Amino acid sequence: MDGQFLNLTRENLEKEHLCCAISDKKHQAGVCAKKEWLQERIGEGHIFRKLDAKGKVFIEYAPLETAWVPILGENYLYIYCLWVAGSYSGKGYGKALMQHCIQDAKQQGKAGVCILSSKKKKPFLSDKKFLFPFGFRLADTAGEDYELMALPFGEALPRFTEQAKRMKIDRDELTIYYSPQCPYILNCVTQVQEYCGKQSIPLALISVDSLEKAKSLPCVFNNWAAFYHGDFFTHHPLNETLLKKMLEKNL
């Protein structure tokens, strides 16, 4: 494994790329929104650590108390995303990034590390097969598929909020909660809005723009959550094509 890692800081944030959206011009508005969001989060202990190369290799984590997810726990770190893609896969980068996060948690005197996963592998969520060798175990569940995995250094475990476990809302129209945490989100919002407009599909877009809103959400959430007829149906960011398929096939 070659290459050096670096952390994004308030000083280098503008000049460094966000490697998950390294070359997609259609996502540049989302990149700008993400960087603005990061400028505020870095002061809270938020870490974005990436390979110093033009590749999609990074981990992003934060103190659970200030992480924009409906998860509670005392003194944990929460991993938003760990991504190694393309030619960088299979070279030990993912393991190195996870080990760095775990070591960072121990050095900070944290109670452990946690991450959102699922019973069966889902896109945009970490695979439990990757997590088990580090010592992660099931801490809590929400709905039929979603699992909170934790690596505790003591006895205490994190948990989903009771509100998050509802996985239901009192709205009938297509309802999407979203945050700027992921640079792909704004383009997805635009595509969904345009498609629903063309098809006369009632749509409610709810911006999760504060920690308080994120902690009180009625479902699992990493940066996106979609409901239809009151039921949660995906955490997967939707473009026009995916939304059309899901509406036709599943709803």
Side-chain angles (χ1 to χ4, degrees):
M1 183 180 68
D2 299 318
Q4 298 293 322
F5 293 100
L6 62 86
N7 288 3
L8 295 184
T9 67
R10 284 173 168 169
E11 290 71 34
N12 68 15
L13 183 56
E14 285 307 311
K15 68 177 182 179
E16 293 293 340
H17 65 75
L18 295 181
C19 43
C20 48
I22 194 169
S23 61
D24 296 324
K25 292 183 179 180
K26 64 179 177 293
H27 295 302
Q28 290 314 299
V31 168
C32 291
K34 170 65 181 256
K35 287 188 172 183
E36 289 179 5
W37 186 82
L38 274 176
Q39 280 284 3
E40 297 183 15
R41 306 283 81 73
I42 288 172
E44 300 168 350
H46 189 111
I47 299 294
F48 190 111
R49 183 172 178 83
K50 71 187 186 77
L51 188 67
D52 190 12
K54 290 186 177 181
K56 298 178 180 180
V57 183
F58 72 97
I59 189 171
E60 186 172 5
Y61 60 90
L64 182 56
E65 290 84 354
T66 56
W68 286 27
V69 289
I71 298 170
L72 301 175
E74 189 172 339
N75 207 27
Y76 265 76
L77 290 182
Y78 175 78
I79 300 175
Y80 284 100
C81 191
L82 172 57
W83 194 2
V84 178
S87 62
Y88 295 93
S89 298
K91 296 183 178 180
Y93 289 112
K95 181 179 179 180
L97 288 167
M98 179 62 83
Q99 288 174 333
H100 174 86
C101 176
I102 294 170
Q103 186 60 31
D104 190 13
K106 290 180 177 179
Q107 289 178 346
Q108 292 186 53
K110 296 294 184 182
V113 179
C114 61
I115 188 170
L116 182 62
S117 188
S118 54
K119 288 184 179 179
K120 294 183 179 180
K121 181 69 180 76
K122 290 180 179 291
F124 295 96
L125 297 181
S126 289
D127 191 341
K128 291 189 297 183
K129 293 180 181 178
F130 172 75
L131 300 173
F132 285 142
F134 295 100
F136 281 82
R137 59 187 175 94
L138 181 65
D140 203 358
T141 61
E144 296 180 357
D145 300 315
Y146 293 93
E147 298 182 337
L148 179 61
M149 302 296 293
L151 172 60
F153 303 148
E155 297 298 322
L157 289 173
R159 65 193 185 281
F160 291 113
T161 65
E162 289 304 313
Q163 184 81 352
K165 291 186 176 186
R166 286 187 60 204
M167 306 291 276
K168 289 181 177 294
I169 59 173
D170 297 325
R171 305 181 73 126
D172 196 50
E173 70 268 39
L174 175 64
T175 302
I176 296 173
Y177 296 85
Y178 68 95
S179 82
Q181 187 271 326
C182 172
Y184 291 101
I185 294 299
L186 288 190
N187 181 259
C188 290
V189 168
T190 298
Q191 290 197 43
V192 167
Q193 197 168 27
E194 290 177 351
Y195 177 75
C196 289
K198 289 186 293 186
Q199 300 299 320
S200 299
I201 298 172
L203 171 67
L205 292 170
I206 301 175
S207 174
V208 179
D209 54 10
S210 71
L211 176 64
E212 292 73 23
K213 286 183 180 179
K215 290 296 186 187
S216 62
L217 285 165
C219 59
V220 295
F221 184 80
N222 214 34
N223 49 57
W224 181 278
F227 289 81
Y228 196 53
H229 295 312
D231 295 320
F232 176 91
F233 74 93
T234 190
H235 71 283
H236 194 307
L238 300 170
N239 56 26
E240 179 177 331
T241 301
L242 284 174
L243 177 58
K244 183 177 180 182
K245 287 181 179 179
M246 287 191 172
L247 288 174
E248 291 177 348
K249 182 178 180 179
N250 299 319
L251 303 176

